[in-house]
Amino acid sequence: MQSDSPDPNSNKCLRQFTDGRSCRMSRKKGHPTLCIFHAREEQQLLESDKLAAEFASLSGKLNTVTDINHVLGKVFIALAEKRISQQAAATFGYLGQLLLQTIPGVKSELNAAVQHPGAYDAMLRHNIPFFSRFRKQ
């Protein structure tokens, strides 16, 4: 009688795809079930929570140049250690650049809100109808 499950004694990767196919690569030395590619993928998934905690900024927010610089430094290290993909690092870098570019605008808005709270509130009320056109009904 044949079993549909893969042979655990085989030297092949035991990863199964959603369409039922199995990986054909050899297992990574030292890993009980996966090839080098799938073992790396598994490691990245296991480390995602750890990385999220590591990527936390000094203040816990991303409101300052120092916070963003700190986080991007952590991204650099994670990429160098091959703990994140080049695509993820590029995305973090791009988002960091956007955050840095918006800091002067945020600062300006905060200063306006402190100096002229009524005017700032009026500006927000004035812009709400513009943005409500894009809201799904």
Side-chain angles (χ1 to χ4, degrees):
M1 182 173 192
Q2 286 186 331
S3 170
D4 288 340
S5 62
D7 179 8
N9 296 323
S10 167
N11 195 31
K12 299 289 182 195
C13 176
L14 297 182
R15 168 73 97 206
Q16 285 202 323
F17 300 102
T18 55
D19 63 1
R21 294 177 299 123
S22 296
C23 179
R24 296 180 181 174
M25 293 182 67
S26 297
R27 288 187 198 171
K28 177 184 175 185
K29 185 177 181 177
H31 197 285
T33 58
L34 300 175
C35 65
I36 190 166
F37 175 77
H38 291 118
R40 183 178 298 136
E41 185 180 74
E42 177 188 58
Q43 186 64 32
Q44 286 177 342
L45 286 172
L46 292 172
E47 287 197 6
S48 64
D49 288 339
K50 183 179 173 186
L51 283 170
E54 278 184 40
F55 286 176
S57 66
L58 297 171
S59 71
K61 298 179 182 180
L62 295 172
N63 295 338
T64 67
V65 173
T66 303
D67 283 339
I68 296 166
N69 179 271
H70 177 80
V71 171
L72 290 176
K74 296 289 189 176
V75 169
F76 179 86
I77 292 168
L79 176 63
E81 294 173 348
K82 297 185 189 239
R83 295 171 61 206
I84 62 171
S85 68
Q86 288 181 349
Q87 182 180 5
T91 301
F92 283 128
Y94 178 68
L95 292 172
Q97 181 181 14
L98 291 175
L99 287 167
L100 288 170
Q101 289 174 350
T102 61
I103 286 175
V106 171
K107 183 178 178 181
S108 175
E109 283 186 351
L110 289 173
N111 286 336
V114 169
Q115 293 173 1
H116 307 288
Y120 185 76
D121 291 342
M123 184 224 19
L124 289 177
R125 280 193 302 277
H126 176 72
N127 285 325
I128 288 174
F130 172 77
F131 291 112
S132 66
R133 286 188 275 168
F134 301 104
R135 192 179 304 155
K136 291 183 180 179
Q137 299 286 326

mmCIF file of all heavy atoms in Angstrom, residues 27-70:
data_model
loop_
_atom_site.group_PDB
_atom_site.id
_atom_site.type_symbol
_atom_site.label_atom_id
_atom_site.label_comp_id
_atom_site.label_asym_id
_atom_site.label_seq_id
_atom_site.Cartn_x
_atom_site.Cartn_y
_atom_site.Cartn_z
ATOM 1 N N ARG A 27 17.766 18.315 0.780
ATOM 2 C CA ARG A 27 17.682 19.002 2.068
ATOM 3 C C ARG A 27 18.990 19.722 2.377
ATOM 4 O O ARG A 27 20.072 19.285 1.995
ATOM 5 C CB ARG A 27 17.409 18.005 3.190
ATOM 6 C CG ARG A 27 16.026 17.457 3.180
ATOM 7 C CD ARG A 27 15.791 16.611 4.412
ATOM 8 N NE ARG A 27 14.627 15.758 4.177
ATOM 9 C CZ ARG A 27 14.272 14.793 4.981
ATOM 10 N NH1 ARG A 27 14.974 14.522 6.066
ATOM 11 N NH2 ARG A 27 13.202 14.079 4.720
ATOM 12 N N LYS A 28 18.845 20.820 3.096
ATOM 13 C CA LYS A 28 20.012 21.564 3.560
ATOM 14 C C LYS A 28 20.700 20.743 4.642
ATOM 15 O O LYS A 28 20.050 20.181 5.522
ATOM 16 C CB LYS A 28 19.558 22.911 4.133
ATOM 17 C CG LYS A 28 20.675 23.732 4.715
ATOM 18 C CD LYS A 28 20.141 25.003 5.353
ATOM 19 C CE LYS A 28 21.269 25.750 6.030
ATOM 20 N NZ LYS A 28 20.802 26.903 6.762
ATOM 21 N N LYS A 29 22.010 20.702 4.575
ATOM 22 C CA LYS A 29 22.762 19.980 5.589
ATOM 23 C C LYS A 29 22.464 20.601 6.962
ATOM 24 O O LYS A 29 22.551 21.806 7.145
ATOM 25 C CB LYS A 29 24.264 20.069 5.297
ATOM 26 C CG LYS A 29 25.106 19.244 6.230
ATOM 27 C CD LYS A 29 26.568 19.303 5.850
ATOM 28 C CE LYS A 29 27.376 18.450 6.804
ATOM 29 N NZ LYS A 29 28.788 18.434 6.428
ATOM 30 N N GLY A 30 22.065 19.778 7.898
ATOM 31 C CA GLY A 30 21.762 20.251 9.237
ATOM 32 C C GLY A 30 20.295 20.615 9.447
ATOM 33 O O GLY A 30 19.874 20.879 10.568
ATOM 34 N N HIS A 31 19.509 20.663 8.383
ATOM 35 C CA HIS A 31 18.071 20.942 8.540
ATOM 36 C C HIS A 31 17.306 19.638 8.359
ATOM 37 O O HIS A 31 17.542 18.900 7.415
ATOM 38 C CB HIS A 31 17.586 21.982 7.531
ATOM 39 C CG HIS A 31 16.267 22.578 7.905
ATOM 40 N ND1 HIS A 31 15.085 21.898 7.763
ATOM 41 C CD2 HIS A 31 15.940 23.771 8.442
ATOM 42 C CE1 HIS A 31 14.083 22.641 8.185
ATOM 43 N NE2 HIS A 31 14.577 23.800 8.606
ATOM 44 N N PRO A 32 16.379 19.346 9.253
ATOM 45 C CA PRO A 32 15.707 18.051 9.206
ATOM 46 C C PRO A 32 14.736 17.854 8.041
ATOM 47 O O PRO A 32 14.471 16.714 7.652
ATOM 48 C CB PRO A 32 14.955 17.976 10.532
ATOM 49 C CG PRO A 32 14.762 19.390 10.944
ATOM 50 C CD PRO A 32 15.949 20.142 10.405
ATOM 51 N N THR A 33 14.209 18.935 7.447
ATOM 52 C CA THR A 33 13.166 18.729 6.445
ATOM 53 C C THR A 33 13.264 19.583 5.187
ATOM 54 O O THR A 33 12.637 19.242 4.197
ATOM 55 C CB THR A 33 11.768 19.012 7.062
ATOM 56 O OG1 THR A 33 11.745 20.356 7.550
ATOM 57 C CG2 THR A 33 11.455 18.042 8.185
ATOM 58 N N LEU A 34 14.002 20.699 5.199
ATOM 59 C CA LEU A 34 13.917 21.645 4.088
ATOM 60 C C LEU A 34 15.230 21.841 3.338
ATOM 61 O O LEU A 34 16.315 21.678 3.901
ATOM 62 C CB LEU A 34 13.443 23.008 4.606
ATOM 63 C CG LEU A 34 12.074 23.031 5.282
ATOM 64 C CD1 LEU A 34 11.790 24.409 5.851
ATOM 65 C CD2 LEU A 34 10.984 22.595 4.335
ATOM 66 N N CYS A 35 15.106 22.257 2.072
ATOM 67 C CA CYS A 35 16.266 22.612 1.257
ATOM 68 C C CYS A 35 16.784 23.979 1.720
ATOM 69 O O CYS A 35 16.156 24.647 2.545
ATOM 70 C CB CYS A 35 15.871 22.680 -0.225
ATOM 71 S SG CYS A 35 14.689 23.991 -0.612
ATOM 72 N N ILE A 36 17.895 24.398 1.171
ATOM 73 C CA ILE A 36 18.503 25.647 1.605
ATOM 74 C C ILE A 36 17.571 26.840 1.351
ATOM 75 O O ILE A 36 17.453 27.740 2.185
ATOM 76 C CB ILE A 36 19.880 25.866 0.934
ATOM 77 C CG1 ILE A 36 20.604 27.045 1.586
ATOM 78 C CG2 ILE A 36 19.756 26.044 -0.552
ATOM 79 C CD1 ILE A 36 22.071 27.126 1.232
ATOM 80 N N PHE A 37 16.859 26.844 0.216
ATOM 81 C CA PHE A 37 15.954 27.936 -0.118
ATOM 82 C C PHE A 37 14.786 28.005 0.871
ATOM 83 O O PHE A 37 14.488 29.058 1.427
ATOM 84 C CB PHE A 37 15.432 27.770 -1.549
ATOM 85 C CG PHE A 37 14.405 28.788 -1.924
ATOM 86 C CD1 PHE A 37 14.772 30.080 -2.256
ATOM 87 C CD2 PHE A 37 13.058 28.454 -1.941
ATOM 88 C CE1 PHE A 37 13.816 31.026 -2.601
ATOM 89 C CE2 PHE A 37 12.099 29.393 -2.281
ATOM 90 C CZ PHE A 37 12.482 30.677 -2.611
ATOM 91 N N HIS A 38 14.145 26.891 1.100
ATOM 92 C CA HIS A 38 12.979 26.877 1.988
ATOM 93 C C HIS A 38 13.371 27.015 3.464
ATOM 94 O O HIS A 38 12.614 27.576 4.256
ATOM 95 C CB HIS A 38 12.135 25.625 1.747
ATOM 96 C CG HIS A 38 11.451 25.661 0.410
ATOM 97 N ND1 HIS A 38 11.703 24.732 -0.573
ATOM 98 C CD2 HIS A 38 10.562 26.548 -0.103
ATOM 99 C CE1 HIS A 38 10.973 25.034 -1.638
ATOM 100 N NE2 HIS A 38 10.286 26.136 -1.375
ATOM 101 N N ALA A 39 14.564 26.548 3.818
ATOM 102 C CA ALA A 39 15.044 26.754 5.189
ATOM 103 C C ALA A 39 15.286 28.241 5.445
ATOM 104 O O ALA A 39 14.966 28.754 6.524
ATOM 105 C CB ALA A 39 16.328 25.952 5.427
ATOM 106 N N ARG A 40 15.825 28.950 4.447
ATOM 107 C CA ARG A 40 16.039 30.395 4.580
ATOM 108 C C ARG A 40 14.695 31.121 4.692
ATOM 109 O O ARG A 40 14.528 32.022 5.509
ATOM 110 C CB ARG A 40 16.826 30.939 3.399
ATOM 111 C CG ARG A 40 17.123 32.430 3.531
ATOM 112 C CD ARG A 40 17.943 32.986 2.374
ATOM 113 N NE ARG A 40 19.237 32.338 2.307
ATOM 114 C CZ ARG A 40 19.786 31.912 1.177
ATOM 115 N NH1 ARG A 40 19.162 32.059 0.034
ATOM 116 N NH2 ARG A 40 20.965 31.346 1.176
ATOM 117 N N GLU A 41 13.727 30.703 3.887
ATOM 118 C CA GLU A 41 12.385 31.290 3.945
ATOM 119 C C GLU A 41 11.763 31.068 5.326
ATOM 120 O O GLU A 41 11.171 31.984 5.904
ATOM 121 C CB GLU A 41 11.526 30.645 2.856
ATOM 122 C CG GLU A 41 10.153 31.210 2.711
ATOM 123 C CD GLU A 41 9.403 30.482 1.605
ATOM 124 O OE1 GLU A 41 8.981 29.323 1.831
ATOM 125 O OE2 GLU A 41 9.244 31.066 0.525
ATOM 126 N N GLU A 42 11.913 29.860 5.843
ATOM 127 C CA GLU A 42 11.396 29.537 7.181
ATOM 128 C C GLU A 42 12.069 30.410 8.243
ATOM 129 O O GLU A 42 11.411 30.944 9.132
ATOM 130 C CB GLU A 42 11.643 28.059 7.490
ATOM 131 C CG GLU A 42 11.220 27.637 8.881
ATOM 132 C CD GLU A 42 11.666 26.222 9.214
ATOM 133 O OE1 GLU A 42 12.885 25.951 9.157
ATOM 134 O OE2 GLU A 42 10.787 25.411 9.540
ATOM 135 N N GLN A 43 13.382 30.576 8.130
ATOM 136 C CA GLN A 43 14.125 31.389 9.089
ATOM 137 C C GLN A 43 13.661 32.840 9.060
ATOM 138 O O GLN A 43 13.516 33.474 10.106
ATOM 139 C CB GLN A 43 15.629 31.308 8.800
ATOM 140 C CG GLN A 43 16.495 31.995 9.821
ATOM 141 C CD GLN A 43 16.398 31.344 11.194
ATOM 142 O OE1 GLN A 43 16.209 30.143 11.326
ATOM 143 N NE2 GLN A 43 16.504 32.137 12.231
ATOM 144 N N GLN A 44 13.408 33.360 7.867
ATOM 145 C CA GLN A 44 12.927 34.740 7.752
ATOM 146 C C GLN A 44 11.558 34.906 8.400
ATOM 147 O O GLN A 44 11.299 35.905 9.071
ATOM 148 C CB GLN A 44 12.878 35.178 6.293
ATOM 149 C CG GLN A 44 14.249 35.450 5.716
ATOM 150 C CD GLN A 44 14.199 35.825 4.241
ATOM 151 O OE1 GLN A 44 13.216 35.573 3.550
ATOM 152 N NE2 GLN A 44 15.283 36.415 3.765
ATOM 153 N N LEU A 45 10.699 33.922 8.250
ATOM 154 C CA LEU A 45 9.384 33.982 8.885
ATOM 155 C C LEU A 45 9.510 33.934 10.404
ATOM 156 O O LEU A 45 8.831 34.671 11.124
ATOM 157 C CB LEU A 45 8.496 32.838 8.396
ATOM 158 C CG LEU A 45 7.952 32.971 6.984
ATOM 159 C CD1 LEU A 45 7.261 31.680 6.557
ATOM 160 C CD2 LEU A 45 7.000 34.142 6.885
ATOM 161 N N LEU A 46 10.388 33.071 10.889
ATOM 162 C CA LEU A 46 10.576 32.947 12.334
ATOM 163 C C LEU A 46 11.173 34.222 12.932
ATOM 164 O O LEU A 46 10.901 34.574 14.075
ATOM 165 C CB LEU A 46 11.484 31.751 12.657
ATOM 166 C CG LEU A 46 10.886 30.371 12.358
ATOM 167 C CD1 LEU A 46 11.941 29.285 12.523
ATOM 168 C CD2 LEU A 46 9.677 30.101 13.229
ATOM 169 N N GLU A 47 11.982 34.915 12.134
ATOM 170 C CA GLU A 47 12.641 36.117 12.639
ATOM 171 C C GLU A 47 11.839 37.390 12.432
ATOM 172 O O GLU A 47 12.243 38.450 12.893
ATOM 173 C CB GLU A 47 14.011 36.274 11.978
ATOM 174 C CG GLU A 47 15.023 35.281 12.488
ATOM 175 C CD GLU A 47 16.441 35.699 12.150
ATOM 176 O OE1 GLU A 47 16.641 36.804 11.617
ATOM 177 O OE2 GLU A 47 17.338 34.917 12.424
ATOM 178 N N SER A 48 10.688 37.310 11.753
ATOM 179 C CA SER A 48 9.951 38.535 11.428
ATOM 180 C C SER A 48 9.528 39.297 12.681
ATOM 181 O O SER A 48 9.642 40.524 12.726
ATOM 182 C CB SER A 48 8.749 38.230 10.544
ATOM 183 O OG SER A 48 7.825 37.420 11.222
ATOM 184 N N ASP A 49 9.061 38.611 13.712
ATOM 185 C CA ASP A 49 8.688 39.298 14.951
ATOM 186 C C ASP A 49 9.924 39.891 15.630
ATOM 187 O O ASP A 49 9.880 41.009 16.141
ATOM 188 C CB ASP A 49 7.987 38.351 15.921
ATOM 189 C CG ASP A 49 6.579 38.003 15.471
ATOM 190 O OD1 ASP A 49 6.008 38.771 14.667
ATOM 191 O OD2 ASP A 49 6.059 36.973 15.918
ATOM 192 N N LYS A 50 11.003 39.143 15.617
ATOM 193 C CA LYS A 50 12.248 39.624 16.210
ATOM 194 C C LYS A 50 12.749 40.869 15.474
ATOM 195 O O LYS A 50 13.160 41.845 16.092
ATOM 196 C CB LYS A 50 13.298 38.513 16.164
ATOM 197 C CG LYS A 50 14.610 38.852 16.812
ATOM 198 C CD LYS A 50 15.569 37.668 16.727
ATOM 199 C CE LYS A 50 16.943 38.053 17.227
ATOM 200 N NZ LYS A 50 17.914 36.979 17.020
ATOM 201 N N LEU A 51 12.672 40.842 14.136
ATOM 202 C CA LEU A 51 13.101 41.987 13.343
ATOM 203 C C LEU A 51 12.222 43.200 13.604
ATOM 204 O O LEU A 51 12.726 44.320 13.698
ATOM 205 C CB LEU A 51 13.074 41.646 11.853
ATOM 206 C CG LEU A 51 14.230 40.800 11.342
ATOM 207 C CD1 LEU A 51 13.954 40.336 9.923
ATOM 208 C CD2 LEU A 51 15.528 41.572 11.403
ATOM 209 N N ALA A 52 10.929 42.983 13.717
ATOM 210 C CA ALA A 52 10.026 44.105 13.983
ATOM 211 C C ALA A 52 10.409 44.790 15.289
ATOM 212 O O ALA A 52 10.424 46.025 15.377
ATOM 213 C CB ALA A 52 8.585 43.622 14.032
ATOM 214 N N ALA A 53 10.739 44.015 16.297
ATOM 215 C CA ALA A 53 11.166 44.594 17.572
ATOM 216 C C ALA A 53 12.506 45.309 17.420
ATOM 217 O O ALA A 53 12.715 46.385 17.976
ATOM 218 C CB ALA A 53 11.253 43.513 18.638
ATOM 219 N N GLU A 54 13.408 44.725 16.646
ATOM 220 C CA GLU A 54 14.718 45.346 16.423
ATOM 221 C C GLU A 54 14.600 46.655 15.652
ATOM 222 O O GLU A 54 15.363 47.588 15.872
ATOM 223 C CB GLU A 54 15.629 44.414 15.619
ATOM 224 C CG GLU A 54 16.319 43.366 16.430
ATOM 225 C CD GLU A 54 17.259 42.552 15.568
ATOM 226 O OE1 GLU A 54 17.949 43.127 14.696
ATOM 227 O OE2 GLU A 54 17.309 41.330 15.771
ATOM 228 N N PHE A 55 13.642 46.724 14.722
ATOM 229 C CA PHE A 55 13.494 47.906 13.898
ATOM 230 C C PHE A 55 12.783 49.048 14.619
ATOM 231 O O PHE A 55 12.601 50.115 14.051
ATOM 232 C CB PHE A 55 12.736 47.582 12.610
ATOM 233 C CG PHE A 55 13.546 46.801 11.600
ATOM 234 C CD1 PHE A 55 12.961 46.369 10.434
ATOM 235 C CD2 PHE A 55 14.873 46.494 11.809
ATOM 236 C CE1 PHE A 55 13.684 45.650 9.490
ATOM 237 C CE2 PHE A 55 15.609 45.777 10.889
ATOM 238 C CZ PHE A 55 15.008 45.349 9.720
ATOM 239 N N ALA A 56 12.398 48.840 15.845
ATOM 240 C CA ALA A 56 11.755 49.919 16.598
ATOM 241 C C ALA A 56 12.733 51.078 16.731
ATOM 242 O O ALA A 56 13.931 50.896 16.927
ATOM 243 C CB ALA A 56 11.334 49.418 17.975
ATOM 244 N N SER A 57 12.201 52.269 16.621
ATOM 245 C CA SER A 57 13.053 53.453 16.719
ATOM 246 C C SER A 57 13.363 53.761 18.178
ATOM 247 O O SER A 57 12.818 53.145 19.088
ATOM 248 C CB SER A 57 12.362 54.645 16.068
ATOM 249 O OG SER A 57 11.214 54.992 16.811
ATOM 250 N N LEU A 58 14.231 54.717 18.381
ATOM 251 C CA LEU A 58 14.621 55.093 19.737
ATOM 252 C C LEU A 58 13.436 55.590 20.547
ATOM 253 O O LEU A 58 13.290 55.261 21.721
ATOM 254 C CB LEU A 58 15.717 56.164 19.684
ATOM 255 C CG LEU A 58 17.027 55.718 19.033
ATOM 256 C CD1 LEU A 58 17.953 56.917 18.829
ATOM 257 C CD2 LEU A 58 17.705 54.659 19.869
ATOM 258 N N SER A 59 12.564 56.372 19.921
ATOM 259 C CA SER A 59 11.420 56.937 20.640
ATOM 260 C C SER A 59 10.188 56.048 20.551
ATOM 261 O O SER A 59 9.199 56.303 21.215
ATOM 262 C CB SER A 59 11.074 58.321 20.078
ATOM 263 O OG SER A 59 10.497 58.180 18.790
ATOM 264 N N GLY A 60 10.241 55.019 19.712
ATOM 265 C CA GLY A 60 9.074 54.191 19.489
ATOM 266 C C GLY A 60 8.204 54.710 18.356
ATOM 267 O O GLY A 60 7.198 54.120 18.010
ATOM 268 N N LYS A 61 8.601 55.838 17.779
ATOM 269 C CA LYS A 61 7.879 56.439 16.657
ATOM 270 C C LYS A 61 8.885 56.770 15.568
ATOM 271 O O LYS A 61 10.078 56.582 15.744
ATOM 272 C CB LYS A 61 7.154 57.700 17.122
ATOM 273 C CG LYS A 61 6.117 57.420 18.192
ATOM 274 C CD LYS A 61 5.455 58.679 18.647
ATOM 275 C CE LYS A 61 4.461 58.345 19.756
ATOM 276 N NZ LYS A 61 3.785 59.526 20.250
ATOM 277 N N LEU A 62 8.406 57.260 14.460
ATOM 278 C CA LEU A 62 9.289 57.665 13.358
ATOM 279 C C LEU A 62 9.081 59.142 13.055
ATOM 280 O O LEU A 62 8.861 59.539 11.925
ATOM 281 C CB LEU A 62 9.011 56.806 12.112
ATOM 282 C CG LEU A 62 9.343 55.326 12.258
ATOM 283 C CD1 LEU A 62 8.862 54.541 11.052
ATOM 284 C CD2 LEU A 62 10.834 55.119 12.449
ATOM 285 N N ASN A 63 9.165 59.955 14.100
ATOM 286 C CA ASN A 63 8.881 61.381 13.966
ATOM 287 C C ASN A 63 10.111 62.251 13.789
ATOM 288 O O ASN A 63 9.980 63.432 13.499
ATOM 289 C CB ASN A 63 8.113 61.888 15.195
ATOM 290 C CG ASN A 63 6.758 61.254 15.309
ATOM 291 O OD1 ASN A 63 6.211 60.761 14.336
ATOM 292 N ND2 ASN A 63 6.198 61.268 16.494
ATOM 293 N N THR A 64 11.286 61.705 13.991
ATOM 294 C CA THR A 64 12.494 62.522 13.917
ATOM 295 C C THR A 64 13.489 61.910 12.946
ATOM 296 O O THR A 64 13.453 60.715 12.648
ATOM 297 C CB THR A 64 13.177 62.656 15.297
ATOM 298 O OG1 THR A 64 13.678 61.368 15.681
ATOM 299 C CG2 THR A 64 12.211 63.165 16.355
ATOM 300 N N VAL A 65 14.396 62.744 12.476
ATOM 301 C CA VAL A 65 15.467 62.274 11.596
ATOM 302 C C VAL A 65 16.302 61.219 12.325
ATOM 303 O O VAL A 65 16.698 60.217 11.737
ATOM 304 C CB VAL A 65 16.334 63.466 11.135
ATOM 305 C CG1 VAL A 65 17.546 62.994 10.355
ATOM 306 C CG2 VAL A 65 15.502 64.434 10.309
ATOM 307 N N THR A 66 16.526 61.415 13.602
ATOM 308 C CA THR A 66 17.312 60.463 14.394
ATOM 309 C C THR A 66 16.628 59.101 14.447
ATOM 310 O O THR A 66 17.279 58.070 14.293
ATOM 311 C CB THR A 66 17.549 61.005 15.818
ATOM 312 O OG1 THR A 66 18.202 62.266 15.712
ATOM 313 C CG2 THR A 66 18.379 60.058 16.646
ATOM 314 N N ASP A 67 15.312 59.094 14.663
ATOM 315 C CA ASP A 67 14.566 57.826 14.680
ATOM 316 C C ASP A 67 14.689 57.093 13.349
ATOM 317 O O ASP A 67 14.954 55.889 13.306
ATOM 318 C CB ASP A 67 13.078 58.078 14.962
ATOM 319 C CG ASP A 67 12.781 58.355 16.414
ATOM 320 O OD1 ASP A 67 13.592 57.984 17.276
ATOM 321 O OD2 ASP A 67 11.714 58.949 16.688
ATOM 322 N N ILE A 68 14.492 57.821 12.267
ATOM 323 C CA ILE A 68 14.532 57.206 10.940
ATOM 324 C C ILE A 68 15.935 56.710 10.622
ATOM 325 O O ILE A 68 16.121 55.605 10.110
ATOM 326 C CB ILE A 68 14.013 58.188 9.870
ATOM 327 C CG1 ILE A 68 12.534 58.483 10.143
ATOM 328 C CG2 ILE A 68 14.223 57.645 8.464
ATOM 329 C CD1 ILE A 68 11.979 59.663 9.393
ATOM 330 N N ASN A 69 16.947 57.490 10.975
ATOM 331 C CA ASN A 69 18.334 57.077 10.771
ATOM 332 C C ASN A 69 18.643 55.807 11.555
ATOM 333 O O ASN A 69 19.292 54.885 11.046
ATOM 334 C CB ASN A 69 19.278 58.207 11.177
ATOM 335 C CG ASN A 69 20.718 57.827 11.009
ATOM 336 O OD1 ASN A 69 21.330 57.272 11.929
ATOM 337 N ND2 ASN A 69 21.272 58.113 9.844
ATOM 338 N N HIS A 70 18.181 55.736 12.778
ATOM 339 C CA HIS A 70 18.392 54.562 13.633
ATOM 340 C C HIS A 70 17.779 53.312 12.991
ATOM 341 O O HIS A 70 18.423 52.260 12.904
ATOM 342 C CB HIS A 70 17.787 54.821 15.016
ATOM 343 C CG HIS A 70 17.870 53.671 15.947
ATOM 344 N ND1 HIS A 70 19.015 53.349 16.643
ATOM 345 C CD2 HIS A 70 16.946 52.754 16.298
ATOM 346 C CE1 HIS A 70 18.789 52.276 17.382
ATOM 347 N NE2 HIS A 70 17.545 51.897 17.194
#
